[in-house]
Amino acid sequence: MELVDTHAHIDMLEGYAEYYIEQAAENNVSRIIIPGIEPEGFAPVVEIAERFKNIFFELGVFPSEAEKWSDECLELITELARHPKCVGIGEIGLDYYWDKSFVDKQKEVFIKQIEIANRLKLPITVHDREAHNDTLEIIDKYNKSSQIVFHCFSGDIDFMKKVVERGYYIAIGGIVTFKKADTLKKVASEVPLDRLLLETDAPYLAPVPYRGKENQPAYIKYTAEEIAKLRGISLEEIAEVTTRNAEKVFNI
Ligand code: NI
């Protein structure tokens, strides 16, 4: 059995990357993608991906960091994206939960990065928090050719359907194991299997039984188990289909 963690901030974990990657391997996590969130953080992310064969990275300026955007960011992302381990642009998008005071800037930076992804023919990992309609509106208007992954999906069934009918992907993390996550459990049961990806978003959002603790890629199995249970299929089947999807989207 093989699992892919499509979204883990290994650079933000407390201990050494070696430890977490070893733990992950022992728990059948064969490949991990580390997203970028701000220009100063790109170097450590690239460095980890260079050191480990099965680690890949993405580059992006996170919505809450949008005010840091400059022309140099564009140049830096364009240059680093040529790296053979760069598999996408992310995480980028809109976050109205964190701060709504610079929504226009968030939108501008999101659009600019969608254009980079299109130009470089890379998929996009989208961060959308309490901004579903605006996020989709911008994607509909500006995305020409990139595949899109809605990371840490937090919409309802109707929004999931809108994402899926556009041919995009739904990435589900540890929240689905939380007792009261009814909406996400419903999404996880109904999302077409060929649109489903798994992620941890480590160090955040650890699944039960580690809820509240530091998350790590090895824990992705709890999320996979929960989704398998919800759908009444085997863990192996979830692992196989999500791994195949990850390979397809990120070309890994
Ligand atoms: Ni993240």
Side-chain angles (χ1 to χ4, degrees):
M1 189 179 78
E2 199 185 335
L3 293 157
V4 177
D5 187 350
T6 59
H7 193 108
H9 300 275
I10 295 184
D11 55 310
M12 295 182 193
L13 291 165
E14 270 179 33
Y16 290 112
E18 282 79 358
Y19 166 75
Y20 297 103
I21 291 165
E22 226 176 86
Q23 291 290 308
E26 280 173 23
N27 287 277
N28 303 309
V29 182
S30 61
R31 283 162 284 181
I32 303 168
I33 299 170
I34 316 176
I37 61 160
E38 56 172 338
E40 305 90 85
F42 292 165
V45 164
V46 174
E47 189 265 332
I48 296 170
E50 282 178 340
R51 262 195 302 141
F52 301 92
K53 191 167 150 265
N54 297 331
I55 309 296
F56 304 87
F57 70 88
E58 296 183 310
L59 300 164
V61 174
F62 191 76
S64 65
E65 309 294 331
E67 287 175 311
K68 291 184 183 168
W69 182 265
S70 65
D71 286 346
E72 285 94 78
C73 288
L74 193 150
E75 282 161 31
L76 184 63
I77 292 174
T78 307
E79 190 198 313
L80 285 175
R82 289 199 200 100
H83 192 289
K85 299 298 269 310
C86 180
V87 297
I89 297 297
E91 52 182 298
I92 63 172
L94 302 175
D95 192 322
Y96 294 172
Y97 172 82
W98 187 81
D99 193 342
K100 274 192 97 163
S101 66
F102 53 98
V103 165
D104 288 344
K105 189 73 190 171
Q106 288 193 30
K107 288 182 177 172
E108 179 200 326
V109 172
F110 184 28
I111 292 165
K112 286 214 161 86
Q113 294 182 99
I114 291 173
E115 290 167 351
I116 297 176
N118 286 178
R119 210 162 48 236
L120 300 175
K121 298 186 168 52
L122 287 168
I124 296 167
T125 292
V126 164
H127 171 102
D128 150 32
R129 195 150 180 216
E130 297 187 4
H132 304 321
N133 292 337
D134 284 5
T135 301
L136 207 51
E137 201 181 296
I138 287 178
I139 290 170
D140 283 346
K141 194 161 169 203
Y142 294 95
N143 180 41
K144 303 273 180 281
S145 54
S146 290
Q147 186 49 272
I148 309 255
V149 174
F150 275 75
H151 129 76
C152 195
F153 186 80
S154 58
D156 59 11
I157 287 281
D158 287 342
F159 191 63
M160 178 273 280
K161 286 180 180 159
K162 285 183 188 165
V163 170
V164 164
E165 76 191 16
R166 286 163 169 78
Y168 300 149
Y169 286 81
I170 304 284
I172 294 181
I175 294 176
V176 76
T177 66
F178 297 179
K179 218 174 182 168
K180 289 182 179 159
D182 296 331
T183 306
L184 189 58
K185 285 184 199 287
K186 201 161 184 302
V187 168
S189 331
E190 292 190 22
V191 58
L193 278 179
D194 65 351
R195 297 290 121 192
L196 175 65
L197 294 167
L198 300 178
E199 63 166 50
T200 56
D201 204 14
Y204 311 108
L205 302 169
V208 175
Y210 294 102
R211 186 172 181 180
K213 309 240 166 62
E214 184 191 57
N215 198 3
Q216 56 168 291
Y219 299 165
I220 203 166
K221 67 176 175 189
Y222 298 105
T223 298
E225 275 167 8
E226 176 68 19
I227 298 175
K229 200 179 85 191
L230 287 165
R231 300 186 73 109
I233 60 176
S234 70
L235 173 61
E236 285 72 20
E237 200 175 332
I238 285 291
E240 200 192 310
V241 75
T242 54
T243 295
R244 213 185 306 132
N245 293 342
E247 287 172 344
K248 200 169 152 197
V249 177
F250 296 106
N251 198 20
I252 53 174

